Amino acid sequence: MRSEAAPQPPAGLERFCSAGKGRGLRARRRFALGELLFSCPAYAAVLTVSERGGHCDGCFARKEGLSKCGRCKQAFYCNVECQKEDWPMHKLECAAMCAFGQNWNPSETVRLTARILAKQKIHPERTQSEKLLAVKEFESHLDKLDNEKRELIQNDIAALHHFYSKHLEYPDNAALVVLFAQVNCNGFTIEDEELSHLGSAIFPDVALMNHSCCPNVIVTYKGTLAEVRAVKEIEPGEEVFTSYIDLLYPTEDRNDRLRDSYFFNCDCRECITKEKDKEKLEIRKLNDPPSAETIRDMIKYARNVIEEFRRAKHYKYILCLTLIAPACELLEICELSLDKMGAVFADSNVYMLHMMYQAMGVCLYVQDWEGALRYGQKIIKPYSKHYPSYSLNVASMWLKLGRLYMALENRTAGVKALKRAIAIMEVAHGKDHPYISEIKKELEDH
């Protein structure tokens, strides 16, 4: 039997040793704005539970009339082909979902890791997702994990053994610790055009790219295919940089996040100069300006309330599946925080924007379209200033605003907002992306 040919690296790109960063990706030719550098199919992917029924569990396509798995009745597919292709992965969960019923609740990380173990058994040779970087080469940063992170990994390992027993062969505990650490550092979140969470995946070649807060490429998704496009002109010899984090926040916050999740500090131009920090932390213009100590205290309060809200949202949104009251409590938290921070911070301050965005999300959840629109209108201008050009965060905000305007029968404003979203998305997603076709159809239908 002839062995499968080794995957060839994408044209015009090369893996290289990046000074001070380890492995990296470098351009061997010029790439124009909006040009596709390469695409990468998911090595393994898992649809988030809340999106089942609206998206295909196999290819993540969004459509109506999906067919249920005849056994568990909880997975949905476009057609028989999608179901057959996904069966080697879905069978890991199918019987367990039937057996555990409502008690089947492994985390998305556990589900993804189970699929990686199965894929490694089924396909031990290098895959089309590993043209530049193999999964087994992933950095784990095991030596940098604190006790809390190690305990979380042990909890995930226990859940893996609890929920997956029939179709998996487990390596020893030490190997599982390494694998979970690798997934935590190298996993990707797949999002839709409004940046709603669709699932988690491993894209090895995409993981080769190093981080910069001034990225020259952006990663978007067509189902379970990752696409990497230039958001700046890239010259031969230049390193290809993506962003690992939300770039809204000031330098200190960004590097806190990078250290916590990826164990490094960024040394990009933005982090060295901190030139955007003053605008991002803009103070309200008052006759009696606040003291430096007052500003420091309010920044500390803002960071704490953001973390508290993140935790509250996680637990209360679970309740929100059946109750509106917890959502109203979240909105109250947002409004109280905005009142307090607004005594010191300008509306364009990123901490104000963060809470406005959360408030907008709650309004959308409870279908308060006018309330969501009011927050979105306050957010969009400073978003456009704080984020880089061709930001998905800006595009998604224009898209949400456009759809809200349309729902509230303000077609003129709706068309303008949707066209602004399309202008960014045509660079970031490519002009032929299904999301852009859907938005253009929305414009035609209205």
Side-chain angles (χ1 to χ4, degrees), residues 291-348:
S291 67
E293 184 181 4
T294 299
I295 293 169
R296 282 197 302 271
D297 287 346
M298 192 58 73
I299 289 173
K300 184 177 179 181
Y301 165 79
R303 288 171 176 163
N304 287 338
V305 80
I306 285 170
E307 179 59 23
E308 287 174 15
F309 187 86
R310 185 189 65 79
R311 290 180 182 146
K313 191 170 84 164
H314 173 73
Y315 292 111
K316 290 186 182 293
Y317 268 18
I318 293 170
L319 296 175
C320 279
L321 295 173
T322 54
L323 298 172
I324 296 299
C328 296
E329 290 174 24
L330 291 177
L331 188 57
E332 188 176 356
I333 294 172
C334 294
E335 290 169 346
L336 290 171
S337 300
L338 285 167
D339 284 345
K340 182 169 181 176
M341 290 190 292
V344 175
F345 295 155
D347 282 354
S348 61

Side-chain angles (χ1 to χ4, degrees), residues 173-334:
N173 189 78
L176 284 175
V177 170
V178 170
L179 181 56
F180 273 104
Q182 288 173 322
V183 171
N184 289 336
C185 284
N186 296 278
F188 288 81
T189 295
I190 297 179
E191 297 169 323
D192 68 10
E193 76 277 28
E194 289 193 1
L195 302 188
S196 295
H197 180 79
L198 294 184
S200 298
I202 293 292
F203 297 102
D205 287 347
V206 183
L208 176 63
M209 293 185 292
N210 286 313
H211 164 85
S212 171
C213 300
C214 312
N216 52 15
V217 300
I218 199 163
V219 182
T220 56
Y221 305 98
K222 276 184 183 174
T224 56
L225 180 75
E227 295 187 325
V228 177
R229 281 189 168 76
V231 289
K232 297 177 182 177
E233 291 186 356
I234 303 173
E235 298 299 332
E238 277 189 50
E239 182 164 0
V240 177
F241 288 109
T242 186
S243 174
Y244 294 178
I245 56 171
D246 188 336
L247 295 176
L248 178 66
Y249 301 95
T251 304
E252 185 179 345
D253 295 42
R254 295 197 309 273
N255 277 284
D256 282 348
R257 170 74 193 280
L258 289 168
R259 281 192 301 271
D260 182 62
S261 299
Y262 304 103
F263 309 99
F264 70 87
N265 286 311
C266 182
D267 60 358
C268 74
R269 176 182 52 79
E270 186 67 43
C271 288
I272 291 170
T273 65
K274 302 183 181 180
E275 62 186 15
K276 288 189 176 182
D277 283 5
K278 187 175 179 180
E279 282 188 336
K280 290 184 174 186
L281 297 172
E282 189 173 353
I283 305 303
R284 186 171 294 284
K285 290 178 174 61
L286 301 167
N287 292 330
D288 185 15
S291 67
E293 184 181 4
T294 299
I295 293 169
R296 282 197 302 271
D297 287 346
M298 192 58 73
I299 289 173
K300 184 177 179 181
Y301 165 79
R303 288 171 176 163
N304 287 338
V305 80
I306 285 170
E307 179 59 23
E308 287 174 15
F309 187 86
R310 185 189 65 79
R311 290 180 182 146
K313 191 170 84 164
H314 173 73
Y315 292 111
K316 290 186 182 293
Y317 268 18
I318 293 170
L319 296 175
C320 279
L321 295 173
T322 54
L323 298 172
I324 296 299
C328 296
E329 290 174 24
L330 291 177
L331 188 57
E332 188 176 356
I333 294 172
C334 294

